[in-house]
Amino acid sequence: KRAKELKMDSLALTDHGALYGAIEFYKKAKEAGIKPIIGAELYIAPEGRFFKRPNIDRERWHIVVLAKNKTGYQNLIQLVTKSHLEGFYYKPRVDKGLLREHRDGLIGTSACLCGEISQTILAGNIDKAEKIALDYSDIFGPGNFYLEIMPHYNLEWQKGVNNALKEISKRTGIPLVATNDIHYIYPNDAEAQEVLMCIQTNNTIEDKDRLIMNDDFSLKSQEEMIKSFKDTPEAVDATRKIADRC
């Protein structure tokens, strides 16, 4: 409903590791006259989904996958199913081999600061991050992989990661896409989200060392996104291109 108020005609749902919301989301979006884009933010096991070693394989990266068509949706179901049945270790995990096997009909994007490329940039190795980006581009096929830049500038590392991703895009030709990490609808919903996270993590609002979201993760308007990325308008345009392909 809020997306419709903001004059958006497409919206994607990318829950972590699962598709539980897909059917309800699809129906509600159709009712609102909005094109539903079905996806998931999958967890990648660094050394393969079958490795489940204590204190080693708890680490994982994020990758966003969107279904372009029916084949892509069926492959997305396969990825999510196998992540639970074969790769589950703390979280449902896939690996790059599985992504390659089920890549038809899918578009991949590099995800948030927890993505493999962003994490490699944060570790100070932009050349390695470039190689990883090319690897993902090869997995998803020509034109089916994008580097995500986000407007969450209150997060300590976001600007630096955005700048590095822009550089990698120039070097490799892998396109940028401007995305917005949405956890609630309106900016004033942030407090309710904080309380929800406290319940999830068994903390209270008074705990200083609890997980805190230090930015606005509400649904932003087209105008806000254009303003945030005025130096890279092609990244905002890419959202239109992706939506048209789904």
Side-chain angles (χ1 to χ4, degrees):
K1 199 182 290 183
R2 178 61 178 152
K4 195 69 175 174
E5 287 171 5
L6 293 172
K7 297 183 170 57
M8 296 179 183
D9 58 22
S10 309
L11 195 66
L13 180 72
T14 56
D15 284 341
H16 280 269
L19 292 167
Y20 304 133
I23 302 297
E24 183 182 2
F25 168 73
Y26 182 90
K27 288 177 178 176
K28 292 280 172 70
K30 285 287 191 182
E31 283 171 20
I34 284 177
K35 178 194 279 189
I37 298 171
I38 305 296
E41 187 163 4
L42 302 175
Y43 297 101
I44 297 262
E47 294 184 34
R49 67 190 185 278
F50 296 109
F51 285 97
K52 297 167 187 179
R53 297 162 297 185
N55 303 319
I56 299 173
D57 294 311
R58 286 185 66 174
E59 297 303 313
R60 62 217 163 234
W61 301 305
H62 296 185
I63 187 84
V64 172
V65 180
L66 306 170
K68 284 194 287 188
N69 49 37
K70 186 178 179 183
T71 299
Y73 179 59
Q74 290 170 333
N75 273 318
L76 186 56
I77 288 170
Q78 289 294 321
L79 287 167
V80 170
T81 300
K82 289 175 181 176
S83 74
H84 282 81
L85 296 181
E86 299 175 356
F88 198 97
Y89 189 65
Y90 290 88
K91 300 282 185 184
R93 307 172 308 154
V94 299
D95 55 31
K96 290 181 182 177
L98 200 60
L99 281 178
R100 194 180 288 278
E101 184 182 339
H102 293 289
R103 72 180 184 174
D104 288 351
L106 295 176
I107 290 173
T109 66
S110 61
C112 56
L113 292 177
C114 293
E116 183 181 4
I117 298 167
S118 296
Q119 285 294 301
T120 307
I121 290 166
L122 290 171
N125 197 335
I126 191 168
D127 290 332
K128 185 179 177 185
E130 181 182 330
K131 287 186 179 122
I132 294 165
L134 288 167
D135 189 26
Y136 278 115
S137 183
D138 181 63
I139 287 169
F140 286 99
N144 290 322
F145 182 68
Y146 290 77
L147 299 168
E148 285 192 53
I149 52 176
M150 291 186 165
H152 306 297
Y153 301 134
N154 285 343
L155 301 182
E156 191 175 352
W157 313 110
Q158 188 72 67
K159 279 188 181 176
V161 167
N162 281 0
N163 290 334
L165 289 170
K166 290 174 192 175
E167 182 60 31
I168 290 170
S169 177
K170 279 182 195 167
R171 291 190 203 174
T172 62
I174 298 170
L176 297 167
V177 61
T179 65
N180 177 32
D181 203 355
I182 304 167
H183 288 258
Y184 41 85
I185 307 302
Y186 302 98
N188 61 6
D189 291 332
E191 186 180 1
Q193 173 76 5
E194 292 282 307
V195 172
L196 179 65
M197 289 177 68
C198 283
I199 294 168
Q200 282 183 328
T201 56
N202 198 25
N203 290 107
T204 69
I205 289 289
E206 285 75 31
D207 291 337
K208 290 187 177 141
D209 59 348
R210 66 186 172 86
L211 185 61
I212 297 173
M213 301 175 78
N214 290 319
D215 204 276
D216 176 12
F217 290 95
S218 63
L219 178 58
K220 293 176 179 62
S221 68
Q222 175 178 270
E223 292 72 28
E224 286 175 290
M225 292 296 283
I226 289 170
K227 185 178 177 184
S228 292
F229 298 105
K230 56 182 182 291
D231 59 331
T232 49
E234 71 277 10
V236 180
D237 292 341
T239 65
R240 166 86 278 148
K241 290 175 184 173
I242 291 171
D244 287 343
R245 294 175 66 196
C246 293

